Amino acid sequence: MSATQIHIRIKEYTECLVQASARAELAAMNEIFGKVKQRVFNSNITKDGKDFGGYRSEAYKKKRESLGLQTFSKDLQFTEKINQDGPSLRRDFQLGVDEDNSVVYGFTTDRSNEIRGYQETSDKQIGEEIFYPNEDEIEFGINEYYHEIEKCQV
């Protein structure tokens, strides 16, 4: 292989990596986001693996029971049955691209973000990080990133 051919292959590989990088970032963040969403909204587990526990407010438990919702384990669904005009944490928790073309995730409404903060910091609520990825979720995302980059074969 000539020096010119090597140069062409390296240039092609570099171009592939540049294109794959954005794709890989999105794939990695999508993987992490999906894992966090699954853990929070389906398994009711904090970042560090703690169960959310039960509902502390008897009034809120009764309201949920009257609407036919489960009360044996706290969940953060905030269904429309309870918050008819209010936020839905599940709906408001989104993955997107910001103005710098960076992939980000978080809440689309200030109210949902306030609820997140209260749930994570109040000793009357869960009191620990919920919506941040844990090491396993990050590792899944990194593996997905590498998988996308490995597709660059020149």
Side-chain angles (χ1 to χ4, degrees):
M1 182 179 293
S2 72
T4 302
Q5 290 170 320
I6 293 170
H7 177 74
I8 290 169
R9 286 192 70 186
I10 290 173
K11 187 174 180 178
E12 288 172 349
Y13 186 66
T14 301
E15 288 172 7
C16 181
L17 287 174
V18 168
Q19 293 173 6
S21 178
R23 216 176 37 248
E25 181 185 3
L26 182 59
M29 289 298 289
N30 195 44
E31 183 73 19
I32 292 168
F33 178 73
K35 297 283 185 193
V36 170
K37 205 166 187 178
Q38 166 73 27
R39 174 177 47 77
V40 171
F41 295 113
N42 295 359
S43 301
N44 305 330
I45 302 290
T46 67
K47 173 187 169 189
D48 293 329
K50 178 182 161 193
D51 187 273
F52 290 171
Y55 289 99
R56 294 181 182 174
S57 166
E58 287 301 318
Y60 191 71
K61 274 174 83 170
K62 286 180 183 178
K63 183 176 183 177
R64 288 183 63 88
E65 286 172 351
S66 73
L67 294 169
L69 300 171
Q70 67 84 21
T71 59
F72 61 89
S73 178
K74 182 174 189 160
D75 67 50
L76 296 179
Q77 298 292 336
F78 290 118
T79 66
E80 282 73 22
K81 285 185 178 181
I82 292 179
N83 296 321
Q84 292 173 358
D85 295 321
S88 165
L89 290 184
R90 183 189 268 289
R91 182 188 61 233
D92 291 347
F93 192 51
Q94 297 288 319
L95 177 74
V97 178
D98 70 9
E99 60 277 352
D100 296 328
N101 287 327
S102 296
V103 182
V104 295
Y105 75 85
F107 290 97
T108 58
T109 66
D110 290 338
R111 181 66 182 132
S112 286
N113 198 41
E114 289 171 10
I115 292 169
R116 176 213 51 85
Y118 182 66
Q119 290 294 327
E120 291 182 338
T121 60
S122 173
D123 60 355
K124 295 179 182 178
Q125 298 300 327
I126 296 167
E128 60 182 81
E129 290 183 337
I130 301 166
F131 292 94
Y132 298 93
N134 61 37
E135 290 301 317
D136 290 340
E137 293 158 347
I138 292 169
E139 189 65 30
F140 275 108
I142 290 170
N143 288 339
E144 188 62 28
Y145 184 91
Y146 288 145
H147 177 73
E148 285 297 317
I149 295 297
E150 287 172 351
K151 292 178 182 177
C152 284
Q153 299 294 324
V154 181

